[in-house]
Amino acid sequence: MGKNQHVVPYGGKWAVRPEKSDRVGSVHRIQSAAINIGEKRAKAEKSELIIHNRHGKIRDKDSYGADPCPPKDKKY
């Protein structure tokens, strides 16, 4: 499994940041654009996409890897 991707607020914009990295991978004007890029990277890395709200708290997660313990709750 690769690095998880985080969509985080970044100076009034939104950034995609690999987990445990000080640098952001890309910066976007709107959150949905950052989510689209983060989803592509998470799928390529077979990892998780963690989406934060504007205050930095986690609001959603999606797993694109081989999750050994799939969640019991269904989002959709």
Side-chain angles (χ1 to χ4, degrees), residues 5-65:
Q5 303 294 315
H6 291 256
V7 174
V8 296
Y10 185 76
K13 296 183 180 181
W14 293 93
V16 179
R17 181 181 52 82
E19 191 164 73
K20 297 181 183 175
S21 176
D22 294 334
R23 294 182 170 211
V24 295
S26 59
V27 178
H28 307 273
R29 191 173 56 81
I30 57 175
Q31 188 182 37
S32 60
I35 291 171
N36 287 337
I37 297 299
E39 184 177 311
K40 289 177 186 177
R41 290 182 184 170
K43 285 179 180 178
E45 296 263 340
K46 293 186 171 70
S47 63
E48 286 196 10
L49 174 64
I50 297 111
I51 303 166
H52 298 255
N53 65 18
R54 70 178 86 144
H55 304 291
K57 302 265 187 201
I58 294 173
R59 74 168 179 92
D60 202 4
K61 288 184 180 181
D62 285 313
S63 181
Y64 298 100

